[in-house]
Amino acid sequence: IDVSDTTPPQLFNVPEDLTIICGEPVDDALPFAIDNCTPFPSIGLSASTEPLDCGYLFVRTWFVTDDCGNMTSASQTITVLDDTPPQFDYFPEDITVSCGTVPAAESTAPAASDACSSFTLDMTEVSLPGECPVVEIIQRTWTATDGCGNAVSATWTITVSDEQGPEILGVPEDQVLNCGEEVTDAIVFATDDCTTEPVIGLSDLTNPLTCGEEFVRIWTAIDGCGNATTAAQVILFTDTESPVFTVVPEAIEIS
């Protein structure tokens, strides 16, 4: 009598499909197999995931093979739903910066993750006026939204402060002139990171010296928050020429 084995094993105790919320534990399953020829057929298990717009599918597949290569498989599909928003793994701390040094949004983006779904990260920015020395308050709100519409938001505040005076440009170098020489006009201007057109003014003073005089031109620039910067040019007038008689009486004859 030739006995051939063409009947695959049978799987029992395979759990039914189910739906859970993301993060809920999945019970262990203990399927077993019976075969009419192989006393103890071996059972294997494989698992796979498939992303959904809102959650994902987790599929467990058990397969059993007898000694003659006949195989049977059975699967359980677990639908994992997502009602948990993403979370920020890293979020920048609030900072205070000077004008012109506000970091770019791309360089300071937070890092987020979601246990169940893919997500998008969006940013909105609001600029609010401040009171000196604060000239601007920037609020960047980052929102991470997953495929199920669960969202988490956080706001990063950047305080822009103006505590530095303008920069004065075009001030001529100190000079030494002879008395009576003409002082050349100077084109002096100021720039500031916070104030578009800082106010600039000019004053001067003269200090007498033993031989000549010291003439000082002082430029003062003031920004919108009252921060002031000064720059000066010192001109020394020296006396290298002898006096000149402007009136000399003519020779006369007298008794």
Side-chain angles (χ1 to χ4, degrees), residues 203-254:
S203 62
D204 60 69
L205 58 89
T206 301
N207 298 317
L209 303 175
T210 303
C211 185
E213 66 180 9
E214 179 186 66
F215 178 64
V216 183
R217 293 195 289 184
I218 303 169
W219 289 270
T220 301
I222 303 175
D223 64 18
C225 278
N227 302 303
T229 302
T230 60
Q233 178 197 29
V234 177
I235 302 174
L236 291 178
F237 288 99
T238 59
D239 189 0
T240 59
E241 296 183 3
S242 301
V244 176
F245 289 109
T246 54
V247 177
V248 177
E250 295 182 359
I252 60 173
E253 292 183 5
I254 60 174

Side-chain angles (χ1 to χ4, degrees), residues 91-165:
F91 199 85
E93 295 182 356
D94 295 346
I95 58 172
T96 298
V97 299
S98 301
C99 293
T101 62
V102 177
E106 298 79 8
S107 64
T108 56
S113 62
D114 189 88
C116 292
S117 307
S118 60
F119 64 92
T120 59
L121 191 61
D122 301 303
M123 189 270 290
T124 59
E125 181 174 297
V126 176
S127 176
L128 304 173
E131 294 185 4
C132 288
V134 175
V135 295
E136 185 183 17
I137 299 173
I138 300 173
Q139 294 180 336
R140 291 176 179 169
T141 300
W142 295 89
T143 302
T145 307
D146 64 19
C148 294
N150 305 304
V152 61
S153 296
T155 299
W156 183 38
T157 300
I158 305 171
T159 302
V160 183
S161 178
D162 184 8
E163 299 181 4
Q164 186 172 354

